[in-house]
Amino acid sequence: MLCRLVGKLRLNVGLVLAVAISASGILALASSSRAAEANRAESDAVVAEAEKMVMQAGHADPVDTKLIHQAMDKLHLALKIDPRNDSAYVDLGFCYGVLRDGDTAIEMYRTATDLNPSGSNFIELADVYLRVGDAEDALLAANAGLVKDPHNARLYNAKGMAMNDLQRFGEAEEAWEKALQLNPNLRVAQANLDALNGGASGRGSISKHSAQQPPEYNPTH
């Protein structure tokens, strides 16, 4: 009888310990989640400050590169607070593009898509590939984005631009028509489609994101 009581006691103690450990784990996870949310909120606030600086730099003529560098310092600070803030990487990619460092810009945008493979991040990646004249990788980025966000008109517009650069004009037309089906108000897709079908040759006047410094900051283009 005594052995049975001791066995039950051990079992009960074991159950109590298991429950306590489980509860402790849940509390730890909840605490970690709250800390991560707080870090992201703090990091996003720093990113917002950096974006204001980039907008201010873009309104200068020529672009205020000193202010761009200051904004980049802010963005690096945001990443120290939250290393997984994909928005900070997107904005860094934009800044490096303004500074005409295409390779680093691509690296930043690719990191953003690794952290958050959203349609909007793949648009940014496709865009920077188009800026540097890499139509094949731009097409890959657009297609990868469409897997995640198959109803994104701007991804179809980027796909059309890549197809046009690859001289696959029929497929470019299909992509732009699809973009307009999804968003009839997407003027850039309509302009690209008109350029494809208009003029003597219908080629060469497709709207591009300029490789020069943009007149103002637009993180989603």
Side-chain angles (χ1 to χ4, degrees):
M1 178 67 72
L2 181 60
C3 291
R4 290 180 182 178
L5 289 173
V6 170
K8 288 182 179 179
L9 180 59
R10 288 176 178 173
L11 179 60
N12 289 337
V13 170
L15 287 172
V16 170
L17 287 173
V19 170
I21 291 171
S22 177
S24 176
I26 292 171
L27 288 173
L29 286 173
S31 177
S32 176
S33 177
R34 286 195 296 270
E37 290 176 2
N39 287 344
R40 182 56 184 255
E42 183 181 355
S43 181
D44 282 342
V46 177
V47 169
E49 292 176 9
E51 289 182 352
K52 290 178 182 178
M53 296 170 71
V54 175
M55 289 181 67
Q56 183 180 345
H59 289 142
D61 187 16
V63 170
D64 187 341
T65 56
K66 181 179 179 180
L67 197 53
I68 290 291
H69 281 289
Q70 291 174 1
M72 292 169 73
D73 289 340
K74 284 273 188 185
L75 293 168
H76 284 296
L77 174 60
L79 288 172
K80 286 184 179 180
I81 299 169
D82 181 2
R84 297 188 60 79
N85 192 332
D86 57 299
S87 297
Y89 280 107
V90 167
D91 289 344
L92 277 171
F94 183 88
C95 289
Y96 279 111
V98 169
L99 298 175
R100 303 185 185 183
D101 184 349
D103 289 341
T104 308
I106 289 171
E107 181 184 345
M108 296 297 102
Y109 285 122
R110 289 184 66 178
T111 301
T113 58
D114 288 342
L115 291 171
N116 180 15
S118 65
S120 60
N121 282 348
F122 275 112
I123 289 171
E124 301 287 355
L125 183 59
D127 175 62
V128 73
Y129 278 130
L130 288 166
R131 290 176 191 241
V132 300
D134 187 347
E136 290 185 356
D137 279 333
L139 179 58
L140 289 174
N143 282 335
L146 286 168
V147 171
K148 298 290 183 179
D149 190 358
H151 302 294
N152 192 311
R154 290 173 59 236
L155 278 168
Y156 275 104
N157 180 62
K159 180 176 181 176
M161 293 166 69
M163 290 291 192
N164 180 78
D165 282 1
L166 294 170
Q167 298 188 347
R168 294 161 61 175
F169 302 118
E171 291 168 279
E173 183 176 18
E174 290 176 5
W176 287 325
E177 287 176 346
K178 180 65 174 180
L180 290 169
Q181 288 175 14
L182 293 169
N183 182 3
N185 297 319
L186 189 60
R187 289 180 294 176
V188 65
Q190 185 63 64
N192 287 337
L193 189 60
D194 292 344
L196 182 68
N197 294 323
S201 63
R203 315 296 183 208
S205 55
I206 302 302
S207 174
K208 292 289 185 185
H209 289 295
S210 173
Q212 307 300 318
Q213 290 96 332
E216 61 182 61
Y217 178 63
N218 182 356
T220 58
H221 304 290

